[in-house]
Amino acid sequence: MLMRTDPFREMDRIVQQLSGTSGTWSKPSVMPMDAYREGEEYVIAFDLPGVDRDAIDIDVERNMLRVKAERRPAAKADSVKVELSERPLGVFSRQVMLADTLDTERIEADYDAGVLTLRIPIAERAKPRKISIGDAGRKQISG
């Protein structure tokens, strides 16, 4: 099994947890993601637990995909005294450079159970195709 880690991202996460800082619009926190190919689609799944669907912004410009989301604190009555608060709040974002072989005009997004899933079709021009050989190069011999 192959495991890939980013030690700098892990350090940022630990520092954020220890210092109690959250992502801001000027310096958002990174959201975890998975990316894989499934048949004729490229799938990217982002973990956004507790984020309201309306607080997610997705855009693509040329081949740069940007996802930004904000997790706001739940409204609490004045009589509530918070004893422990470990769930991260604030702004999360991720930028992903997409290959030219993906059809960015037909991206589909779904949000279920705190997971944002983007499905990006493989472009027709990137799919393998058979090339036929023409007769233009043959010389006719007449006798």
Side-chain angles (χ1 to χ4, degrees), residues 76-134:
K76 294 178 180 63
D78 291 336
S79 61
V80 174
K81 181 181 173 191
V82 176
E83 296 291 331
L84 179 65
S85 180
E86 292 182 344
R87 299 182 308 154
L89 300 174
V91 180
F92 304 88
S93 81
R94 194 72 185 249
Q95 291 185 351
V96 179
M97 180 64 81
L98 301 175
D100 290 332
T101 57
L102 299 177
D103 187 352
T104 58
E105 299 292 321
R106 298 182 16 220
I107 296 175
E108 293 180 7
D110 182 44
Y111 186 61
D112 184 42
V115 178
L116 173 66
T117 304
L118 302 179
R119 295 185 172 278
I120 310 166
I122 306 296
E124 287 298 320
R125 68 182 183 279
K127 294 179 183 175
R129 59 193 175 280
K130 192 76 169 164
I131 307 297
S132 61
I133 302 171

Side-chain angles (χ1 to χ4, degrees), residues 27-31 46 48 67-69 91-95:
K27 185 167 175 25
S29 298
V30 175
M31 66 185 78
F46 299 92
L48 294 170
V67 178
K68 194 172 246 189
V91 180
F92 304 88
S93 81
R94 194 72 185 249
Q95 291 185 351

Side-chain angles (χ1 to χ4, degrees), residues 64-79:
M64 181 62 72
L65 172 73
R66 291 180 189 87
V67 178
K68 194 172 246 189
E70 184 175 7
R71 183 172 178 193
R72 299 175 181 103
K76 294 178 180 63
D78 291 336
S79 61

